[in-house]
C-alpha cells in the first residue's frame, strides 16, 4: 500500500511551520518590547516634570534620532569605519599572538606576561597616553582601540589552542604534516569559534571605547558629536545617539549570530531540559 | 624485509618497566594482532612503532625506517585508526577522508575522486556530506578507517579500532576491513584487548603480558585451527579475570616466552 499525501498538505505544513516560527520570535521578543515600552513611558512621564536638558520628551528624542540618521550619518560611518579597521587589526594581531603563544612554548611565558600586563592597563590610561604620544586623531583612536582589544583575542586564542584535543593532534600527526599544515588545517578551524565568541563578547565594549576615544580626541564621529551635543545642553541629541548606539550593538550581535550560524554549522545544537 | 620490525626492545617509564625485551616482526601483506590486557604495554609498543616514543633499548623499524629518528620518511606510508574515531568536527565525512590526502598535497579533484571511492568501499555512500555528529558510531569508525586507507599506505596500524563498538557493528566492520585489507595487500598491525577481534581478523596473533613481551603466538588461519580453542588458549595466556595466568607466570620464571603455539592450537 502506498501512503497517499493529501493535496496541499505540504503547503499547510509549511504555513504552520512559519506561523510557529513567528510566534516563537514574538514570544522571544515580547519581554524586550515590554521593557522598552516601560523605559519610554518612564522617560515621557519624567519629561513632564523636568527641564528638557534633564529629560526631553520621547518625541523630541525621536526627532533628534531622525535628524542624526538623515543629516549626521557621516559621524556614524566614520565611527563604524574606525571600529572596523581597529577590530580587523586587533583580530589579526591578537590571533597571531595567541597562536605564537600556543605553538611556540619557549616564547609563551614572556608573550603571555606581556599580554596580561597590557590587559591590566586601564583604558583611560591608554587614552591619555595616546594624547601625549600621537598628534593625529586617527592614529590615536586606532592605537587606543588596538591596545585595548588585542589582549582579548590573544588570550582567548591561546586558551583555544591549549584546549585543542590531544587526540586530534595525535591523529593528524600520523600523516606527518608540516607545522604550517598543522596551523592551517587543524589550529585555524579550531580557533574560529573562539574568535567569534570573543568578537561577540567585546563588540559592545569596543564600540564604547571608540566613542570615548572620539570624545577626547576627534572632530568627527559619534563620540565627538555627543561631546558637542553635551556642550550645547542638547540632551535629546545625546539620548538619540545613545539609542542609536544600542541599536548598532544589537545589529552587531545579530550579524555575528548569523556568521556563527553559517561558519559553525557543523556544531550540533545542544538542548538542555 | 619485514614491514615492521621490533627487536629486543625495552622501555621504562621512570622506574617502571613497561616493555621487556619485546621482539616481533610483521611481514608485507600480513595482518598481525597484538593482544593483551590493559597495562600489558600494547599502547607503549604502538607508540614506539608510530614514532611517538623512543625505546630505551632495542631496534624499531617501520618500512625500513627508524620511526622516531626519521619520522618524516614515513609520510604517506602509514595509515592509523584509533579506538575513538578522532574525526574533525568541522569537516564532513568526505572532508575527513580527504584530510590525509590534503597533507600529502594531492590535488583537489583527485582527492574528491579518491574520497568518493573510499566512501563507496566502506559502505558510506550518501554519507559524504554529513558531519561527524550526524553519523552513528559505526559510520564514524568507517570514516576513520577510510581516512587511514585513503592515502594508500603500505602499513595500517589499528589501535583498538573496533573495541568501542557494539558486538554486531564491530563484527561487521572488522569483517569488511579484513577483507578490504587482504584484497589491497596491506600490512596491518591490530592492537586490541578483545580476543575475538584478533581471532577473526589476524593471520597471526601475538599475546602480550606485562611488562610487554610476547608470551604466545598463534596462527588462527592455519589449517585445522579452531577459533574456539584458540580463544580459550589466549584467555588462559592472558590470565582469565584476575591477573597474570599461571602459564604466563611459568614462562616468566624462565625469563623467556615459553607458551608458544604455532599453527594448530589444541
Amino acid at each position: 500500500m502506498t501512503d497517499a499525501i493529501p493535496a496541499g498538505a505540504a503547503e499547510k505544513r509549511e504555513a504552520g511551520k512559519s506561523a510557529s516560527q513567528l510566534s516563537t520570535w514574538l514570544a522571544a521578543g515580547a519581554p524586550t518590547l515590554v521593557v522598552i515600552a516601560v523605559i519610554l513611558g518612564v522617560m515621557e512621564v519624567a519629561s513632564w516634570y523636568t527641564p528638557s536638558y534633564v529629560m526631553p520628551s520621547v518625541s523630541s528624542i525621536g526627532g533628534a534620532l531622525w535628524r542624526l540618521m538623515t543629516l549626521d550619518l557621516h559621524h556614524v560611518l566614520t565611527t563604524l569605519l574606525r571600529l572596523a579597521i581597529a577590530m580587523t587589526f586587533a583580530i589579526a594581531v591578537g590571533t597571531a599572538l595567541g597562536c605564537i603563544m600556543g605553538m611556540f612554548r619557549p616564547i609563551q611565558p614572556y608573550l603571555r606576561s606581556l599580554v596580561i600586563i597590557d590587559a591590566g592597563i586601564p583604558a583611560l590610561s591608554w587614552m591619555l597616553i595616546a594624547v601625549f604620544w600621537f598628534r593625529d586623531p586617527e592614529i590615536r583612536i586606532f592605537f587606543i582601540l588596538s591596545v585595548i582589544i588585542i589582549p582579548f583575542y590573544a588570550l582567548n586564542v591561546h586558551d583555544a589552542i591549549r584546549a585543542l584535543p590531544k587526540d586530534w593532534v595525535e591523529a593528524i600527526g600520523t600523516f606527518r604534516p608540516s607545522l604550517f599544515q598543522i596551523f592551517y588545517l587543524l589550529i585555524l578551524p579550531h580557533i574560529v569559534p573562539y574568535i567569534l565568541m570573543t568578537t561577540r563578547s567585546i563588540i559592545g565594549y569596543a564600540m564604547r571605547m571608540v566613542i570615548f576615544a572620539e570624545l577626547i580626541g576627534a572632530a568627527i564621529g559619534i563620540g565627538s558629536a555627543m561631546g558637542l551635543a553635551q556642550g550645547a545642553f542638547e540632551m535629546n541629541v545625546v539620548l538619540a545617539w545613545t539609542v542609536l548606539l544600542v541599536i548598532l550593538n544589537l545589529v552587531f550581535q545579530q550579524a555575528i549570530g548569523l556568521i556563527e550560524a553559517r561558519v559553525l554549522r557543523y556544531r550540533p545544537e545542544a538542548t538542555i531540559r | 624485509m619485514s614491514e615492521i620490525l621490533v627487536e629486543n626492545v625495552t622501555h621504562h617509564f621512570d622506574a617502571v618497566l613497561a616493555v621487556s625485551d619485546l621482539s616481533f616482526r610483521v611481514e608485507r601483506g600480513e595482518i598481525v594482532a597484538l593482544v593483551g590486557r590493559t597495562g600489558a604495554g600494547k599502547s607503549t609498543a604502538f607508540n614506539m612503532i608510530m614514532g611517538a616514543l623512543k625505546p630505551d633499548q632495542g631496534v624499531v623499524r617501520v618500512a625500513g625506517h627508524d620511526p622516531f629518528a626519521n619520522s618524516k620518511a614515513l609520510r604517506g606510508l602509514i595509515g592509523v585508526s584509533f579506538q575513538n574515531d578522532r574525526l574533525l568536527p568541522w569537516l564532513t565525512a568526505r572532508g575527513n577522508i580527504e584530510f590525509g590526502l590534503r597533507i600529502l598535497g594531492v590535488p583537489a579533484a583527485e582527492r574528491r575522486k579518491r574520497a568518493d571511492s573510499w566512501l563507496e568501499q566502506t559502505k558510506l555512500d550518501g554519507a559524504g556530506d554529513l558531519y561527524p555528529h550526524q553519523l552513528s558510531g559505526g559510520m564514524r569508525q568507517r570514516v576513520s578507517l577510510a581516512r587511514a586507507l585513503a592515502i594508500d599506505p603500505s602499513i595500517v596500524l589499528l589501535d583498538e579500532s573496533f573495541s568501542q563498538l557494539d558486538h554486531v557493528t564491530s563484527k561487521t566492520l572488522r569483517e569488511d576491513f579484513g577483507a578490504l585489507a587482504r584484497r589491497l595487500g596491506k600490512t596491518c598491525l591490530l592492537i586490541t584487548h578483545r580476543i575475538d577481534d584478533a581471532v577473526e581478523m589476524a593471520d597471526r596473533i601475538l599475546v602480550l603480558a606485562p611488562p610487554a613481551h610476547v608470551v604466545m603466538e598463534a596462527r588462527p588461519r592455519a589449517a585445522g585451527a579452531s577459533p574456539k580453542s584458540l580463544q580459550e588458549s589466549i584467555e588462559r595466556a592472558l590470565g582469565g579475570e584476575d591477573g597474570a595466568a599461571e602459564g604466563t607466570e611459568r614462562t616468566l620464571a624462565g625469563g623467556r616466552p615459553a607458551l608458544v603455539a604455532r599453527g594448530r592450537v589444541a
Side-chain angles (χ1 to χ4, degrees):
Chain A
M1 197 179 90
T2 311
D3 291 333
I5 300 170
E11 288 81 357
K12 274 184 190 168
R13 208 166 39 238
E14 276 306 306
K17 207 173 152 186
S18 302
S20 156
Q21 274 179 347
L22 185 66
S23 63
T24 307
W25 287 338
L26 285 176
T32 311
L33 292 174
V34 169
V35 170
I36 290 171
V38 169
I39 291 171
L40 291 177
V42 169
M43 285 169 75
E44 184 61 30
V45 172
S47 73
W48 299 341
Y49 302 101
T50 55
S52 64
Y53 62 83
V54 174
M55 183 53 69
S57 68
V58 172
S59 61
S60 156
I61 298 169
L65 186 60
W66 176 251
R67 282 196 300 281
L68 302 184
M69 297 295 288
T70 49
L71 301 175
D72 289 338
L73 207 57
H74 60 288
H75 286 297
V76 180
L77 294 176
T78 305
T79 299
L80 291 180
L81 188 63
R82 284 170 179 153
L83 185 69
I85 292 170
M87 285 290 287
T88 306
F89 179 77
I91 289 173
V93 174
T95 302
L97 287 174
C99 289
I100 292 168
M101 285 194 282
M103 293 174 74
F104 302 99
R105 285 280 171 88
I107 307 172
Q108 184 257 320
Y110 303 100
L111 213 47
R112 193 172 169 88
S113 300
L114 183 69
V115 171
I116 288 172
I117 288 168
D118 178 13
I121 298 173
L124 182 65
S125 301
W126 282 124
M127 287 182 193
L128 297 175
I129 290 167
V131 170
F132 281 102
W133 283 2
F134 306 105
R135 187 171 292 176
D136 186 329
E138 294 307 326
I139 296 176
R140 274 184 199 167
I141 294 167
F142 175 76
F143 172 80
I144 292 165
L145 274 180
S146 300
V147 290
I148 291 171
I149 300 169
I150 284 171
F152 289 101
Y153 286 99
L155 294 174
N156 283 348
V157 168
H158 179 220
D159 282 344
I161 295 175
R162 284 163 70 185
L164 191 65
K166 191 169 164 259
D167 280 1
W168 292 353
V169 180
E170 268 179 17
I172 300 321
T174 63
F175 296 111
R176 269 75 178 169
S178 64
L179 192 60
F180 176 73
Q181 286 175 320
I182 292 174
F183 171 74
Y184 180 66
L185 298 172
L186 181 64
I187 292 177
L188 207 53
H190 171 67
I191 63 176
V192 166
Y194 292 82
I195 293 173
L196 288 171
M197 184 190 69
T198 308
T199 306
R200 186 188 269 278
S201 312
I202 67 152
I203 190 74
Y205 177 67
M207 192 71 183
R208 287 196 293 278
M209 288 304 111
V210 76
I211 302 297
F212 278 131
E214 286 174 344
L215 186 67
I216 62 162
I220 190 169
I222 296 177
S224 163
M226 286 180 87
L228 288 173
Q230 184 257 336
F233 292 93
E234 292 176 328
M235 187 59 163
N236 59 337
V237 178
V238 171
L239 288 176
W241 280 120
T242 307
V243 170
L244 187 66
L245 288 171
V246 171
I247 293 169
L248 281 175
N249 190 43
L250 291 175
V251 170
F252 290 148
Q253 294 292 338
Q254 198 64 32
I256 296 166
L258 290 173
I259 294 169
E260 275 180 341
R262 169 81 188 139
V263 176
L264 308 181
R265 63 187 181 281
Y266 63 83
R267 292 206 302 198
E269 286 284 331
T271 309
I272 297 167
R273 295 178 187 180
Chain B
M1 187 179 71
S2 305
E3 286 279 72
I4 299 173
L5 169 71
V6 175
E7 208 167 72
N8 307 117
V9 165
T10 297
H11 192 76
H12 294 80
F13 289 111
D14 296 322
V16 180
L17 179 63
V19 178
S20 170
D21 200 24
L22 177 66
S23 294
F24 67 87
R25 289 162 184 264
V26 182
E27 304 301 333
R28 188 180 296 264
E30 198 180 18
I31 300 180
V32 172
L34 278 186
V35 182
R37 296 176 63 164
T38 306
K42 305 184 299 290
S43 295
T44 307
F46 180 82
N47 284 333
M48 288 192 284
I49 292 165
M50 288 258 296
L53 195 63
K54 187 177 191 284
D56 293 342
Q57 284 171 31
V59 173
V60 178
R61 292 286 179 270
V62 178
H65 301 284
D66 179 339
F68 187 82
N70 198 7
S71 168
K72 294 285 179 195
L74 294 173
R75 207 170 194 222
L77 294 179
I78 302 182
V80 186
S81 171
F82 297 91
Q83 183 172 21
N84 48 355
D85 54 74
R86 303 189 184 191
L87 300 180
L88 298 174
W90 56 84
L91 296 177
T92 59
R94 183 182 288 103
N96 270 288
I97 295 171
E98 284 184 21
F99 193 85
L101 298 168
R102 283 184 80 172
I103 288 177
L104 296 179
V106 175
E110 175 65 19
R111 281 203 310 260
R112 170 103 191 182
K113 204 172 119 191
R114 282 210 229 170
D116 284 344
S117 159
W118 278 107
L119 282 166
E120 194 188 322
Q121 290 185 70
T122 49
K123 300 177 182 173
L124 288 163
D125 316 56
D129 294 325
L130 298 179
Y131 287 100
H133 78 270
Q134 297 170 311
L135 302 170
S136 68
M139 289 167 91
R140 284 202 297 270
Q141 202 58 21
R142 281 177 189 276
V143 175
S144 170
L145 288 166
R147 179 174 68 179
L149 289 165
I151 59 168
D152 195 20
S154 56
I155 299 164
V156 182
L157 303 177
L158 306 164
D159 184 11
E160 304 274 12
S161 295
F162 312 103
S163 306
Q164 267 192 350
L165 303 170
D166 66 81
H167 181 71
V168 177
T169 310
S170 166
K171 188 172 162 57
T172 313
L173 198 54
R174 66 189 180 226
E175 279 172 3
D176 288 350
F177 178 80
L180 200 58
R182 282 197 174 78
R183 179 165 62 79
L184 298 168
K186 302 291 179 196
T187 304
C188 297
L189 180 64
L190 167 68
I191 311 282
T192 184
H193 67 273
R194 283 187 12 182
I195 301 169
D196 54 342
D197 280 2
V199 171
E200 282 187 31
M201 265 193 72
D203 298 320
R204 195 152 56 91
I205 299 171
L206 303 171
V207 181
L208 293 191
H213 65 288
V214 178
V215 291
M216 177 181 174
E217 183 177 335
R219 294 177 184 273
R221 287 169 189 276
S226 147
K228 193 166 179 264
S229 59
L230 178 59
Q231 200 147 340
E232 286 167 3
S233 300
I234 294 172
E235 275 171 18
R236 277 199 299 277
L238 288 174
E241 289 298 312
D242 56 353
E246 283 179 32
T248 311
E249 283 173 358
R250 273 204 313 276
T251 57
L252 285 173
R256 304 291 305 167
L259 183 59
V260 174
R262 288 183 186 276
R264 181 173 179 165
V265 178

